[in-house]
Amino acid sequence: MKHLLLAALCILLWLPGKATEKDQRLWKKALRIHERVLTIDTHCDTPMEMLKPGFNLGEQHESPESRVDLPRMKAGGLDVLFFAVYTDQRPRTADNYRQSYQLAHQMLDSIHAAVIRHADQAMLASTASHAGQIAQTGKRAIFIGLENGFPLAQKLDRVQEFYSRGVRYITLCHSFHNDICDSSSDAAEPEHNGVSDFGRMVIHEMNRLGMMVDVSHLSDASFFDVMNMSQAPVIASHSSVRAICKHDRNMSDEMIKKLAEEGGVIQICLLDDYVKEPDTTTQRYAIQSQLMHTYRTEYHAMNKAERATLNQEWVDMQKNYPKQLPTVSDLVDHIDHVVNLVGADYVGIGSDFDGGGGLADCADVSEFPNITYELLKRGYSKRDIQKIWGGNLIRVFREVERTAAKLSKN
């Protein structure tokens, strides 16, 4: 059962101007539904924040500097969250493999330590059934995903190692090609033309263990290879719809249909550039494009001071040229598209908070009820809202576990 603080959202979280924009009868109904359904966000990058000195997951912070903490999860009625252990893609040297592997374990250490420190508010989860069980206690259920398979470093036994430390999905690659597969964002020519031989072994090992395969960030060819290789349904932990927002990171209708055909789920991302195409005529867009080009082409070769300077330029851009963010309505357009294309059984929500995610009227986890309100406003039933907020992900997770159990018998 969720905390009664949800019921007070009308008063505490919504300024009078905002509240009057809502149909109050529908808003109260949305809050009741949001309180009763199991709510799951499959992707946030908060572990990066947790490595910063002084960051306390148990204290309330302010967006946009921070978008996720336990008090705001409680306030926004979010029951279950997957913390992403993110490592960037680096040149494949022994030293970079070592550093990435160590960073992944450092983040894992921080997650485990935070859950222990705040045992009165959260519990670490490792199976699909844990999500609902922990939510029933009034605590937040914390799962772990590994974003980017780079720390595996061509060592298959590390899949088991990360699984033993609580990792329940691996996003196979990130913004550049790696040992496992090709990325959707890499400007270089495809390296494997899909999934590599090592990647095939990684997928089979994940199937064997009961670890979800995450296809967000993958190239189209890599995606279709995964669909042919995986014996269990897969997830896209934080992706949106290419037909609405043309971005390589988003999924085409053909991909969404294949994902649904195989029983998977696409978790719609709240990152603005994946929700709505940016206005390319603004000064903000010009500066951002140049900074992104520098990040992609020069960041790995920079020293610590140069990286700090570039990061500060990004912060200054955000401050001096604020972006007009998409809205929850724009986000739900993506959900509508998936539902109209393949049905309500194959879509969910993966915010990418603390990794770029955030909308004009959903800046952090405390504002998640706005999504439920928009779904209800558009005529979604309580049953469909339950599926979108968590039911679909749990269905996939259970099937992944069942596949692992079958494989263990062979």
Side-chain angles (χ1 to χ4, degrees):
M1 181 181 297
K2 291 189 176 67
H3 192 265
L4 292 177
L5 187 57
L6 241 187
L9 273 172
C10 291
I11 300 172
L12 297 179
L13 289 181
W14 308 109
L15 298 174
K18 285 186 177 181
T20 56
E21 295 172 1
K22 288 183 169 65
D23 178 321
Q24 289 302 296
R25 181 193 61 80
L26 201 63
W27 172 236
K28 290 176 182 178
K29 183 178 179 180
L31 287 178
R32 289 195 299 271
I33 292 173
H34 195 82
E35 181 180 358
R36 292 168 185 166
V37 304
L38 184 71
T39 51
I40 301 176
D41 176 354
T42 49
H43 191 92
C44 81
D45 285 297
T46 308
M48 291 193 294
E49 298 294 316
M50 293 161 65
L51 293 183
K52 296 178 180 178
F55 183 85
N56 186 342
L57 188 66
E59 294 179 354
Q60 183 164 330
H61 303 263
E62 299 295 328
S63 63
E65 287 77 15
S66 163
R67 300 183 188 272
V68 175
D69 51 50
L70 292 172
R72 282 182 291 175
M73 286 178 66
K74 187 175 186 178
L78 181 62
D79 296 310
V80 183
L81 185 58
F82 281 76
F83 279 160
V85 172
Y86 164 71
T87 59
D88 62 355
Q89 185 66 35
R90 307 175 185 184
R92 279 164 266 177
T93 66
D95 188 52
N96 282 339
Y97 280 133
R98 179 184 57 79
Q99 290 184 34
S100 181
Y101 174 74
Q102 291 176 342
L103 177 60
H105 278 286
Q106 186 181 0
M107 287 189 181
L108 285 165
D109 290 343
S110 72
I111 295 169
H112 285 271
V115 171
I116 292 171
R117 181 181 182 185
H118 304 293
D120 59 327
Q121 300 179 64
M123 292 178 65
L124 193 67
S126 59
T127 70
S129 62
H130 284 166
Q133 292 169 1
I134 294 171
Q136 285 296 317
T137 71
K139 298 180 181 182
R140 308 305 113 187
I142 304 299
F143 285 95
I144 304 173
L146 178 67
E147 186 176 22
N148 194 0
F150 182 66
L152 298 181
Q154 298 182 336
K155 297 181 180 180
L156 190 63
D157 61 343
R158 287 190 177 177
V159 180
Q160 170 79 68
E161 178 184 339
F162 282 117
Y163 180 87
S164 297
R165 296 219 60 195
V167 172
R168 289 301 178 266
Y169 75 66
I170 296 177
T171 314
L172 299 181
C173 69
H174 195 251
S175 295
F176 298 91
H177 310 324
N178 66 9
D179 296 312
I180 297 172
C181 63
D182 295 333
S183 167
S184 65
S185 305
D186 200 327
E189 290 296 314
E191 182 175 332
H192 313 290
N193 292 311
V195 173
S196 69
D197 290 339
F198 175 67
R200 180 188 294 272
M201 291 190 290
V202 168
I203 292 166
H204 289 172
E205 180 68 353
M206 292 174 70
N207 287 165
R208 184 187 72 81
L209 292 169
M211 187 185 290
M212 291 181 285
V213 177
D214 180 15
V215 296
S216 288
H217 287 287
L218 272 63
S219 70
D220 290 16
S222 296
F223 167 82
F224 285 107
D225 275 355
V226 171
M227 300 311 296
N228 290 328
M229 294 174 183
S230 180
Q231 299 177 65
V234 308
I235 67 169
S237 69
H238 57 302
S239 295
S240 295
V241 175
R242 198 179 297 171
I244 293 177
C245 179
K246 191 175 181 181
H247 195 290
D248 290 341
R249 272 276 287 103
N250 287 343
M251 297 181 70
S252 69
D253 284 2
E254 183 184 7
M255 295 165 76
I256 295 169
K257 288 178 180 178
K258 183 64 176 177
L259 187 75
E261 181 183 318
E262 300 298 330
V265 61
I266 174 175
Q267 303 287 110
I268 302 300
C269 179
L270 275 68
L271 200 151
D272 56 324
D273 283 351
Y274 308 147
V275 174
K276 192 172 183 178
E277 294 178 25
D279 182 352
T280 60
T281 66
T282 64
Q283 190 169 1
R284 154 73 184 236
Y285 182 82
I287 296 172
Q288 178 175 320
S289 297
Q290 181 56 53
L291 289 176
M292 287 299 298
H293 176 75
T294 304
Y295 270 112
R296 290 181 185 279
T297 60
E298 301 177 28
Y299 193 76
H300 293 304
M302 289 180 172
N303 60 37
K304 188 175 181 180
E306 290 170 334
R307 289 186 177 189
T309 298
L310 183 61
N311 291 338
Q312 186 59 49
E313 289 179 13
W314 183 270
V315 171
D316 291 343
M317 176 201 67
Q318 300 274 36
K319 179 180 178 180
N320 298 327
Y321 302 95
K323 182 182 290 187
Q324 185 174 350
L325 293 172
T327 65
V328 166
S329 178
D330 295 317
L331 175 81
V332 177
D333 286 346
H334 288 254
I335 295 175
D336 281 350
H337 185 89
V338 177
V339 172
N340 291 332
L341 187 68
V342 294
D345 294 322
Y346 309 103
V347 63
I349 294 163
S351 68
D352 207 5
F353 281 147
D354 290 330
L359 303 174
D361 47 355
C362 192
D364 60 32
V365 289
S366 72
E367 297 187 314
F368 267 157
N370 270 352
I371 297 176
T372 303
Y373 174 81
E374 184 66 24
L375 290 168
L376 193 62
K377 183 179 172 183
R378 296 195 188 196
Y380 282 86
S381 67
K382 178 182 176 181
R383 174 60 176 160
D384 284 344
I385 291 171
Q386 181 272 329
K387 291 178 181 180
I388 293 165
W389 260 122
N392 293 334
L393 187 281
I394 291 297
R395 170 184 55 78
V396 173
F397 200 168
R398 291 190 189 281
E399 186 56 37
V400 168
E401 293 173 334
R402 281 192 288 267
T403 298
K406 291 177 184 175
L407 291 174
S408 69
K409 294 178 181 179
N410 296 335

